[in-house]
Amino acid sequence: MDEPSSAASDRPPEGTLDALAPGSHAVIVRVDREQPGLKRLLEMGLVEGTKVHFLRTAPLGDPMEIELRGYRLSIRKQDAAHIHVRPA
Amino acid sequence: MITENPPEPPVTATLVVALIGNPNCGKTTLFNALTGLRQKVANYPGVTVEKKVGSFITQHGSEAQLIDLPGAYSLLPQSPDEAVTRDVLLGLVPGTPRPDRAVCVVDASNLERNLYLATQVLELGIPTIIALNMIDLAQANGDEIDIAALSSRLGVPVIPCNATKREGLPELRIALSARLEVPPDVRVPLPPLVEQSIAALTWELPPSDDLHSAPVRALLLLMLSDERSDAIADGLGWHGLTPRFRQARAALAEKSPNWAEGTIGARYDRIGEITSAVRKQADDRSASSYDRTDRIDAILIHPFWGWLVFLGLMTLLFTSIFTIAAYPMDGIKWVFDALGSLVTSAMAPGDLRSLLTDGVIKGVGSVVVFLPQILILFLFIGLLEDSGYMARAAFMMDRLMHGVGLHGKSFVPLLSSYACAVPGIMATRTIEDPKDRLATILVAPFMSCSARLPVYALMIATLFTVEASAWTKGGILLLMYALGTLVAFAFAWLFKRTLLRGEPPALVLELPPYRRPSWKTVGLGMLDRARAFVRRAGTVILGLSIVLWALAYYPKSDAKTRDEQVAQSYAGRIGKALEPALKPIGLNWKIGIGLLGAQAAREVFVSTIAVVYAVGGAEDTDAKEPETKSVAEALRADRWPDGSMVFTPLVCFTVMIYFVLSMQCVSTLATVRRETNTWRWPLFVFVYMTGFAYLASLAFYQGGRALGY
C-alpha cells in the first residue's frame, strides 16, 4: 500500500479531471480519500490506471460526461475535482 | 455458507433462481421474457424495495421461481435496493428463500464494469450461470468474445443471449435445468494487509468446516468493506462480531489508508486479465461503439435543441395527461354515475343506500378516475426510461436540481407529482442518497397534482361572471403551477440547509446507449404502477370516503333538504368549529366542510361544496357530479350575514393558494409513511405544508384586504 498522499509537497505532476478540456483523454492517478461516495466511484471503475475520455459537459455547464471502460458516466465537476489524472 | 447446523435439504422442491445484474444490463427484459405475465410484485419486509417474483418452466418442464433482484453495481450497497440484492443472495431476507441458483446478467458491451458484480456473486459460492446479454451490440462494436474461454476463466456456464430478440433463451432454460456445480474456489486477489485482516477475522467465527472457503472469505470482505454491515452479522448469527469488524477497519485505515482503493483496484486488475484474454477488440472500436448514441445526443443534449426537445416532451406529456386522459376519465365518471343511479333506483332510501352511493361508489370512483392519467404518465416515463432518455434528462437537469439541493434523479418524481404525488413519491426509490430522497419526498406534494385541477377550475369559474378567455384561465392555472413548483424548490433548498444538511454523495449517473424501448417492459411497468396506485391510494381514499360520508350523514335530522342535513351533521359542526380559524383567510364554515371533504382527495372539495350549497339538491341525483358552472353561480350568490359577498376575487385566489400549498391528501401521507417507514415524516409534511399554506393564505388575504381588494 502506498504512503498516505496527503503530503502536498511531493505531488506528482497531475491535474484534476474537472480541469480538462472537453474532448481530452487522461489516465486516472488517484481519487481523494475525502471524496464522499469514494467507494462507489472506484467501483464504477475509476481506479488507478483507468483511461477516461472527457466527452462534454451538460448544457448548463455541469455535470460532465465521461467515457471509461467502454461505457458512459456522468459526474459533477465538484466530484471530478477530487479525481487526479495525468494526460494520456 | 457457514451455519451452526449442517446444510439442510431444500424445503421446497421448486428451484429458486435469483436474477441479478447491473442497472441497464437488460435484466428486466430477460425477466419478462422468461416469465411472461406470470409475475407477482410485492414488497420486501421493512423496506420499500419491490420484490418481483415470477415463475417459469425450465427446459425439462419443471417449474422454477425467478426472483428479479433490484439492479446493483456492487454487493457493497449504496442504496436500499442494492442492500436487498445482497441480502437475498446471502439468504438474510425473511420470507425469501436463499436462491438455489443465480443467473447473473452481464452486458457484453460493457464487460468490465458488469464483471465487477459478477465476480462478487461468483465468490459467494452460489451455483451461477452468466447470461452474456446484448452480445449483438458487443459484436456490432467490433468485440469478439470467446465464450468458452470466458466460461473456463470464470468456472461457470456462460450463455450468450440477446433478451430483446429472445435469442439464447432456450439455451438458458436448458442450462438452468442441468445440474449446476458450485463455482470453483474463486478468490479475487487482495492487498496483503486486507488478506491478513480477513484471516484474523476468520478465527473469530463460530467453528465450522468451511471457515477457510472462498465464500466465507468473500463474505468477510463484504462485511469488512461496509461500515453498515452490522445487520449481516446479526442475520448470520455472528453476534458480538460487529466490534471486531470495526476494530479491523480502524486498524486497516491506520496501517493502509487506501486499502479500499487497493481492494477495488485488485478486482479490476483481475477483471482486466480476464477480459484481455477472452475479448478481441477491433482497432477502431471508439469509432463504432457509441455511434448512434452520439448522433442522437448531438440533438438531445444540445444546448439549444436539447432544451427544445425537453420542453416539447414535457408539453406533450402534460397535454396528454390533461386532454387525452379527459376522455376515458369522462367515461369512468359516467359509468360510476350510472352505477350510482342504478343503486338509487333499485334500493329503498335509507342508510345502506346512502352508504353505497355516497360512500362506496363515490369513493371507488374518485380513485379509478385517476387511472387514465396514471397510465399515460407511466407510459411516458416507461418509454423515456427504457429508451435511455431519462438519464439524459437527469443529466441536463442536475445543475438546476443540485442548485436547490436536490438530485438530477429528483426530476422524475417531481414530474410525476404533477399527475399525482403518490406515484411521484414511489418513484423516489431510484435516488440512492437517503437525504436527497427524503428532500424530494418532502417537497413533491407541492407540485400541483391533477386532483387540484377541478378546484382551480371551480375557483376560476367563480372569479368571472362572464366566461373568461382560455388565455386568462390558462394564465391563472399556470400561475398556480408555478407557485407550487417555486415553493417546492424553496423548501428543498431550506431543508438541505437545515434538517437534511450534510455533504451529499457524488452524483454517479450512468448514461446508457439509446435503445429502442421494449413495449413489453413499458407495458408491464405501467400495469405494475397502476396496480400499486390502486392498492395504495385506493384503500385509503375508499376508507376515508366512507368516514366522510358518515360525518355528513349522521346524526340524522328531520331536515328536508340535503344542505340542511349536512349543516347540522358532524361534518357541519366541524365546519362551524373551524370558522374562527377560517374567517381570517376570508372563508366561512361551508368552505370548512369542503376542506374536510378534500382530505380524501382534493377534488372531493367540489362535490362536497355542491352538496353544502344545495346545487342539484334532489336526493335522486346524489351520485351525479354537479356542473362546475352551477356550483360557481351558487358560490357567487353566497353572502356573509352583513350582506357582503363571500367569494370575492381575493377569496377565490386565497382558496387556490391554500390548495396549492396545503397537505390535504391522506393517500399521500400514507405513501410518505410507507416510503419512510415512520410516522414522523408524514406528520411533519402535514404540519409544515398546512401551516405554511395557512400563513401564506393569511398573508395574501389580509394583504389584499389592506390594499383594498
Side-chain angles (χ1 to χ4, degrees):
Chain A
M1 303 264 82
D2 311 344
E3 282 295 303
S5 43
S6 53
S9 52
D10 55 31
R11 264 201 189 147
E14 62 186 32
T16 51
L17 185 55
D18 65 311
L20 293 180
S24 49
H25 296 259
V27 176
I28 293 179
V29 178
R30 68 192 163 86
V31 185
D32 284 337
R33 267 195 306 283
E34 301 73 31
Q35 166 64 26
L38 164 75
K39 276 183 205 159
R40 181 44 53 100
L41 284 174
L42 296 171
E43 288 188 312
M44 295 301 278
L46 291 154
V47 293
E48 187 194 337
T50 305
K51 282 181 235 152
V52 290
H53 180 192
F54 174 18
L55 294 160
R56 58 175 81 83
T57 58
L60 296 176
D62 197 32
M64 49 201 284
E65 181 178 355
I66 57 173
E67 184 168 292
L68 72 152
R69 299 180 183 274
Y71 82 98
R72 289 182 178 185
L73 186 68
S74 173
I75 56 175
R76 295 197 186 115
K77 282 190 164 170
Q78 63 181 61
D79 300 320
H82 292 275
I83 301 173
H84 299 263
V85 293
R86 60 180 158 80
Chain B
M1 193 87 6
I2 43 168
T3 47
E4 311 234 350
N5 307 314
E8 293 165 35
V11 188
T12 51
T14 322
L15 195 67
V16 178
V17 180
L19 194 61
I20 182 170
N22 280 190
N24 305 309
C25 71
K27 185 171 61 66
T28 305
T29 313
L30 190 64
F31 178 73
N32 290 337
L34 281 171
T35 62
L37 285 165
R38 298 179 302 271
Q39 312 184 350
K40 268 195 313 219
V41 182
N43 257 50
Y44 288 103
V47 286
T48 51
V49 177
E50 270 180 359
K51 177 179 178 178
K52 277 173 85 180
V53 180
S55 66
F56 74 104
I57 311 294
T58 66
Q59 206 63 21
H60 294 167
S62 54
E63 193 171 335
Q65 203 185 41
L66 193 64
I67 307 177
D68 184 19
L69 293 176
Y73 288 116
S74 161
L75 292 183
L76 213 62
Q78 294 288 316
S79 68
D81 278 38
E82 289 185 336
V84 161
T85 296
R86 176 198 62 193
D87 292 346
V88 170
L89 283 183
L90 296 179
L92 294 177
V93 178
T96 307
R98 181 162 199 246
D100 303 306
R101 284 160 193 209
V103 171
C104 193
V105 186
V106 166
D107 176 356
S109 69
N110 185 355
L111 203 52
E112 279 140 281
R113 208 204 57 220
N114 277 256
L115 282 177
Y116 188 86
L117 176 74
T119 53
Q120 284 181 321
V121 174
L122 289 177
E123 281 169 35
L124 287 177
I126 302 167
T128 301
I129 296 171
I130 303 282
L132 193 60
N133 198 20
M134 307 202 203
I135 192 79
D136 55 337
L137 196 64
Q139 281 160 356
N141 288 348
D143 290 355
E144 284 303 326
I145 299 172
D146 184 341
I147 306 289
L150 183 60
S151 174
S152 81
R153 287 257 170 184
L154 296 174
V156 295
V158 175
I159 312 288
C161 56
N162 190 1
T164 36
K165 290 183 190 146
R166 305 186 65 91
E167 288 163 8
L169 290 189
E171 291 81 357
L172 192 57
R173 283 180 209 268
I174 291 172
L176 278 164
S177 301
R179 216 182 109 77
L180 273 190
E181 299 298 332
V182 172
D185 213 67
V186 192
R187 292 171 191 244
V188 73
L190 290 174
L193 281 173
V194 178
E195 192 79 78
Q196 283 167 26
S197 180
I198 286 177
L201 283 165
T202 309
W203 296 107
E204 308 275 337
L205 299 178
S208 137
D209 295 341
D210 55 0
L211 272 187
H212 301 286
S213 66
V216 170
R217 175 178 177 269
L219 184 59
L220 288 174
L221 175 62
L222 282 182
M223 295 169 73
L224 183 67
S225 307
D226 183 4
E227 291 84 1
R228 291 163 295 186
S229 63
D230 294 1
I232 305 183
D234 292 341
L236 294 169
W238 295 349
H239 304 290
L241 241 84
T242 41
R244 289 291 299 114
F245 280 103
R246 230 168 292 142
Q247 287 161 14
R249 277 192 283 268
L252 272 175
E254 200 178 306
K255 274 186 278 182
S256 171
N258 42 10
W259 66 275
E261 191 164 358
T263 307
I264 294 165
R267 188 179 296 278
Y268 267 111
D269 287 346
R270 165 57 60 87
I271 290 167
E273 287 165 24
I274 297 174
T275 51
S276 59
V278 306
R279 182 176 61 188
K280 259 209 303 255
Q281 290 187 319
D283 296 336
D284 60 340
R285 185 171 194 278
S286 61
S288 62
S289 136
Y290 265 82
D291 262 6
R292 194 166 60 127
T293 295
D294 275 331
R295 278 198 302 275
I296 301 173
D297 267 344
I299 298 165
L300 292 191
I301 53 180
H302 186 273
F304 175 73
W305 299 115
W307 290 111
L308 205 67
V309 171
F310 178 77
L311 289 177
L313 281 171
M314 294 306 116
T315 311
L316 187 64
L317 172 61
F318 276 100
T319 319
S320 318
I321 285 181
F322 294 124
T323 59
I324 299 176
Y327 299 103
M329 288 172 88
D330 284 346
I332 291 168
K333 264 187 212 140
W334 184 85
V335 168
F336 278 89
D337 284 352
L339 205 63
S341 309
L342 198 72
V343 172
T344 307
S345 58
M347 286 177 71
D351 294 14
L352 183 63
R353 188 179 84 173
S354 178
L355 169 68
L356 283 178
T357 54
D358 283 354
V360 178
I361 294 177
K362 214 180 234 172
V364 175
S366 61
V367 177
V368 177
V369 81
F370 285 119
L371 268 183
Q373 290 188 335
I374 301 279
L375 286 172
I376 291 180
L377 175 73
F378 282 105
L379 171 67
F380 264 83
I381 291 183
L383 285 173
L384 296 183
E385 227 149 46
D386 210 40
S387 63
Y389 181 75
M390 223 36 135
R392 269 76 185 181
F395 176 65
M396 300 214 310
M397 293 298 285
D398 185 71
R399 176 81 190 264
L400 288 177
M401 293 291 178
H402 188 58
V404 295
L406 293 172
H407 191 283
K409 289 184 190 166
S410 306
F411 158 75
V412 178
L414 294 181
L415 179 71
S416 309
S417 299
Y418 281 122
C420 176
V422 172
I425 290 169
M426 293 192 305
T428 59
R429 289 176 187 178
T430 53
I431 305 171
E432 291 92 359
D433 178 49
K435 282 178 180 168
D436 282 354
R437 176 161 183 244
L438 191 56
T440 312
I441 290 176
L442 294 183
V443 302
F446 277 125
M447 311 308 268
S448 271
C449 65
S450 54
R452 285 164 169 117
L453 210 54
V455 180
Y456 299 156
L458 174 62
M459 286 301 128
I460 292 172
T462 311
L463 266 175
F464 303 103
T465 31
V466 196
E467 183 94 356
S469 74
W471 284 104
T472 317
K473 287 191 204 165
I476 295 174
L477 268 185
L478 199 65
L479 218 58
M480 294 303 138
Y481 277 86
L483 174 68
T485 312
L486 284 178
V487 170
F489 284 172
F491 270 101
W493 183 87
L494 186 72
F495 289 148
K496 287 306 286 269
R497 262 151 202 80
T498 52
L499 278 178
L500 305 172
R501 208 167 29 207
E503 189 56 34
L507 171 83
V508 178
L509 176 71
E510 190 184 352
L511 298 169
Y514 287 106
R515 282 181 204 127
R516 186 197 299 275
S518 135
W519 287 107
K520 196 167 183 177
T521 307
V522 174
L524 286 171
M526 269 167 76
L527 273 181
D528 265 10
R529 296 287 115 195
R531 259 203 302 251
F533 172 76
V534 171
R535 213 172 44 226
R536 307 264 161 83
T539 43
V540 175
I541 295 179
L542 176 59
L544 207 63
S545 301
I546 293 171
V547 170
L548 289 171
W549 164 81
L551 285 178
Y553 195 75
Y554 296 106
K556 287 204 264 187
S557 67
D558 308 329
K560 287 280 185 313
T561 56
R562 288 190 74 205
D563 53 316
E564 285 171 21
Q565 158 62 24
V566 169
Q568 63 80 50
S569 70
Y570 292 120
R573 293 173 202 186
I574 295 173
K576 281 172 190 157
L578 285 175
E579 195 170 83
L582 295 174
K583 241 177 167 164
I585 56 171
L587 306 178
N588 62 15
W589 63 271
K590 293 181 182 176
I591 315 292
I593 301 177
L595 292 179
L596 195 65
Q599 294 300 324
R602 290 177 176 95
E603 86 280 10
V604 174
F605 177 78
V606 178
S607 54
T608 312
I609 286 288
V611 172
V612 181
Y613 280 88
V615 180
E619 267 240 349
D620 286 352
T621 55
D622 271 1
K624 286 231 169 67
E625 284 292 319
E627 287 279 325
T628 302
K629 238 189 230 166
S630 46
V631 184
E633 268 164 36
L635 290 182
R636 271 200 298 274
D638 198 11
R639 292 289 180 274
W640 289 101
D642 66 4
S644 62
M645 201 175 173
V646 175
F647 280 92
T648 60
L650 180 64
V651 171
C652 290
F653 274 106
T654 310
V655 171
M656 281 193 271
I657 290 172
Y658 185 81
F659 268 84
V660 170
L661 302 176
S662 76
M663 169 39 74
Q664 295 162 310
C665 178
V666 177
S667 320
T668 302
L669 291 175
T671 308
V672 174
R673 155 80 185 84
R674 263 195 96 89
E675 299 294 315
T676 58
N677 265 322
T678 156
W679 279 109
R680 206 170 61 225
W681 289 117
L683 199 71
F684 174 78
V685 170
F686 179 74
V687 170
Y688 103 86
M689 282 185 68
T690 308
F692 179 70
Y694 186 79
L695 291 178
S697 307
L698 186 70
F700 182 79
Y701 179 72
Q702 294 299 343
R705 286 280 299 245
L707 291 173
Y709 286 98

